[in-house]
Amino acid sequence: MSDKKRIFSGVQPSGNLTLGNYLGALKNFSLLQDEYECLYCVVDLHSITVRQDPLLLKDRSYAVLALYLACGLDPDKNILFLQSQVSGHAELGWALGCYTYMGELNRMTQFKDKSRRHADNINGGLYTYPVLMAADILLYKSDMVPIGQDQKQHLELARNIAERFNNIYGDTFVIPEPFIPKTAARVMSLQEPDKKMSKSDDNANNFVTITEDPASIMKKFKKAVTDSESEVRFDEVNKPGISNLMNIYAAVKSISIEETAKEFENSRYGDFKMAVGNAVVDALTPIREKYNELMNDKGYLDSLFKKNALRAKEIAEPTLKEVYEKIGFIV
Ligand code: ATP
Ligand code: LTN
């Protein structure tokens, strides 16, 4: 077994991944792969909390794996796998649900948001979603979880569940730490910069997908909402649109907000928006090309999923056994 610290994170195959997913999550995943033992999961069990078309769901699961690879994750170094192929997630999820209070789940803001957006389908899975996420993380005794800002509350809950279980049964789970990027932890919508850029947004002008064609990306950045001033200055309260674009530029260029402000201190909004669009296109073009290649070889993607489900199970099964034993199940 490796003595590296362990990382776990997941992305839902619930739509085409956006620039927000890339900057908040995927870009950082590849930066961590040498220093840590990493498991990156395609969390299809989570995605059915919102109704999914079966054929499309399969395709999107392959697409998330292809994007993991296209964003630079080495399939030998990292365990890139599909959640539904490792049954321990659902099993531990059930057990941990019995150590989670409804009061805790009632406080989850993602549940409240999604209930509003999917008022015709507020199902039990949507409500217990954070318990399954806790199971994902704790099943591998993960030390660290790279996530965007929006998932911080879920991670806090996972920590609380782990501590509660450990207090009752003795040391079992590792208490995981969040890893949230400094810039672009929360990429905002291009048209409504007071809300998060989300792949399941109804208005396609609000987001840019990782595999979108360059002309369309440029068009969306040209149209991005700004404000009635003319100065490129970072002020998230009074200038949310401009600040979001500055965040995006800083993150894709891997520079600071201060450096971004300096670079554009004398620029007009129109020129600034073009520069952000171009920087995004430059960063995403090699990813799109690699992604298209990989999506033409589903056999390869399938074989990776199969192989890596076995690797994940080797770590998951002993934890589940330990938990079952402690609870009092006959194993
Ligand atoms: P949905 O819109 O379907 O709920 P999502 O894109 O919000 O999906 P996931 O696919 O599960 O959610 O997100 C994967 C990762 O991307 C998570 O770590 C999440 O925090 C991060 N992420 C999602 N949206 C953003 C964003 N706008 N800015 C930064 N990080 C984000
Ligand atoms: N809830 C996350 C996706 C997710 C996840 C995880 C992230 C499911 N399980 C475990 C990190 C670790 C989301 O909606 N972004």
Side-chain angles (χ1 to χ4, degrees), residues 122-166:
I122 307 176
N123 59 70
L126 196 61
Y127 187 62
T128 56
Y129 177 114
V131 179
L132 181 60
M133 176 162 163
D136 296 341
I137 298 163
L138 302 181
L139 189 56
Y140 300 95
K141 304 196 175 185
S142 315
D143 298 285
M144 217 167 70
V145 184
I147 39 171
Q149 187 68 37
D150 62 306
Q151 295 302 313
K152 191 157 179 262
Q153 193 186 33
H154 288 163
L155 193 87
E156 295 283 328
L157 178 66
R159 289 167 58 91
N160 291 340
I161 297 172
E163 276 168 6
R164 186 170 303 141
F165 193 95
N166 287 354

Side-chain angles (χ1 to χ4, degrees), residues 22-23 27 183 246-256 259-260 263-264 275-276 278-280 282-283:
Y22 174 63
L23 296 177
K27 182 169 182 266
T183 42
M246 290 177 79
N247 246 327
I248 291 173
Y249 188 83
V252 289
K253 290 278 198 181
S254 299
I255 61 172
S256 67
E259 286 167 310
T260 306
E263 190 172 335
F264 294 101
V276 181
N278 278 321
V280 169
D282 287 348

Side-chain angles (χ1 to χ4, degrees), residues 12 14 20-21 24 114 147-148 150 185 187 196-200:
Q12 298 185 74
S14 53
N21 296 126
K114 291 210 172 174
I147 39 171
D150 62 306
V187 176
K196 189 187 90 153
M197 182 181 283
S198 164
K199 59 171 122 77
S200 39

